Amino acid sequence: MAASTNPQLSEQYDTITDAYAVRYSPDGSVNPSYPIAEVEEYQLRLATLSQPVNGLEGKRILDLACGNGNYSRKYLRWGAESVVGVDVSKANAYAHQNQLDHELNYVLGDATDETLSIEGGPFDVIVACWLLNYAPDVEAMIKMYRTAGRHLKVGGSFVGLTIPPLLSDLPAERETLNNVLSLDGACGKYGNAGKVIAPTESGDGYRVLVELGLRNEGHRIASFECCYLQNTAFEKACKDSGMFNGLEWREFVVPHSAKKGRPVGYWNELMLSPNCRVCVATRVRVEGEDLSPDGISL
């Protein structure tokens, strides 16, 4: 296992592992108290079924920022041949180790560490859930894309589930963010809440304190910091990594299954202000890169 180069982030996630795990039942199904988890999972499932991924059947998957491995195990259920999970949190590592088998392995490591070595690649698909939102600026996000690119076969797909990108009018976006993240706003209603702390040092967005949990259910409330960045920052980082063809954002969709048994209009606030979006990019050949016939970098 590789050591983390970001001890602050590792410690932050060590403290919220249990609070995040409550969103799911032991069998991996969504806790009914956290319907937003079902909506998040649906965004990911749609992206992995659509082009250019076209399903996970028989493919080798790298799960960057895998957390406690909930999605890693789902990828196997969705047909993946094998999955390697990478996360910066030691607590997540211990949770993950209890469920290892020959098709699922875990690496303790930091996705911003460009020297990170991961066995089992190159991979057909790399999925990164709640990774890009920890980049405070373009440079940090470039490192994330490059880590993904180094372990992804040419022609392979990068799928990221992250906080929605901000538009260009940051002062207006700050007010909107505070309204959305408030306990009475869209995110607060469904199990996430928070507030804007300050602009990022780069000026590309805002640092945000997020609360995870439902107070009215008596659940443990855990808090952590992340960043909302402008769409231009996401796109520039992807381009400047030199390893992808550009970034495509997918439409946010609430599945019919999440609407069953809930009042009409229950999801209206979330549809207007989604808590997540999925972005997809395809790995391209880097100039001077030698490839095998099946697109593997030599």
Side-chain angles (χ1 to χ4, degrees):
M1 289 187 178
S4 169
T5 60
N6 193 336
Q8 183 177 2
L9 187 59
S10 177
E11 183 179 349
Q12 173 175 270
Y13 255 89
D14 286 347
T15 63
I16 71 169
T17 299
D18 292 341
Y20 190 84
V22 77
R23 292 157 59 103
Y24 300 93
S25 301
D27 63 358
S29 60
V30 173
N31 182 333
S33 297
Y34 285 90
I36 197 169
E38 178 183 356
V39 177
E40 291 172 5
E41 182 179 313
Y42 187 71
Q43 314 312 307
L44 201 58
R45 187 62 173 138
L46 276 182
T48 58
L49 286 173
S50 306
Q51 293 185 346
V53 182
N54 293 322
L56 301 184
E57 290 79 6
K59 295 178 180 178
R60 290 173 295 177
I61 313 300
L62 176 61
D63 187 6
L64 280 179
C66 67
N68 66 359
N70 180 68
Y71 278 128
S72 301
R73 294 184 290 277
K74 286 185 184 293
Y75 302 149
L76 290 176
R77 296 189 194 108
W78 296 350
E81 177 183 295
S82 62
V83 179
V84 175
V86 178
D87 199 85
V88 74
S89 166
K90 292 180 181 179
N92 278 330
Y94 298 142
H96 209 299
Q97 284 173 339
N98 292 330
Q99 303 168 63
L100 296 182
D101 57 40
H102 68 284
E103 298 171 325
L104 176 59
N105 293 292
Y106 181 85
V107 175
L108 178 64
D110 183 353
T112 63
D113 179 5
E114 295 183 82
T115 67
L116 180 64
S117 178
I118 304 171
E119 296 182 1
F123 298 89
D124 301 297
V125 180
I126 292 182
V127 187
C129 293
W130 305 118
L131 169 66
L132 299 178
N133 46 284
Y134 288 103
D137 51 39
V138 170
E139 292 305 313
M141 196 178 292
I142 286 174
K143 292 179 180 179
M144 294 175 178
Y145 282 123
R146 284 181 176 165
T147 294
R150 285 192 302 107
H151 296 92
L152 184 61
K153 66 187 293 186
V154 172
S157 300
F158 171 86
V159 180
L161 185 144
T162 187
I163 284 171
L166 298 177
L167 302 177
S168 57
D169 187 355
L170 288 184
E173 289 280 34
R174 178 168 187 156
E175 182 178 355
T176 300
L177 272 181
N178 272 324
N179 289 336
V180 170
L181 290 169
S182 71
L183 285 172
D184 296 325
C187 288
K189 175 180 178 180
Y190 307 112
N192 299 334
K195 62 181 179 179
V196 174
I197 300 173
T200 58
E201 291 185 8
S202 64
D204 291 325
Y206 292 106
R207 290 171 47 230
V208 173
L209 179 68
V210 174
E211 283 191 350
L212 182 68
L214 289 168
R215 293 181 183 276
N216 60 351
E217 296 286 341
H219 293 162
R220 176 188 171 193
I221 304 298
S223 61
F224 58 93
E225 287 190 23
C226 60
C227 296
Y228 276 76
L229 297 184
Q230 290 175 296
N231 185 42
T232 52
F234 282 92
E235 293 181 347
K236 178 175 174 56
C238 187
K239 178 182 178 181
D240 290 357
S241 73
M243 307 188 86
F244 294 95
N245 66 342
L247 205 59
E248 177 190 350
W249 291 96
R250 297 298 170 85
E251 180 183 1
F252 182 84
V253 180
V254 174
H256 291 294
S257 59
K259 298 177 182 178
K260 292 180 180 178
R262 302 192 181 279
V264 175
Y266 177 83
W267 295 106
N268 285 356
E269 294 98 329
L270 193 68
M271 292 296 295
L272 290 173
S273 303
N275 74 311
C276 66
R277 290 284 298 278
V278 167
C279 57
V280 179
T282 300
R283 169 74 153 87
V284 297
R285 181 176 182 177
V286 177
E287 185 175 354
E289 187 175 27
D290 292 328
L291 301 177
S292 66
D294 57 357
I296 297 175
S297 182
L298 300 175

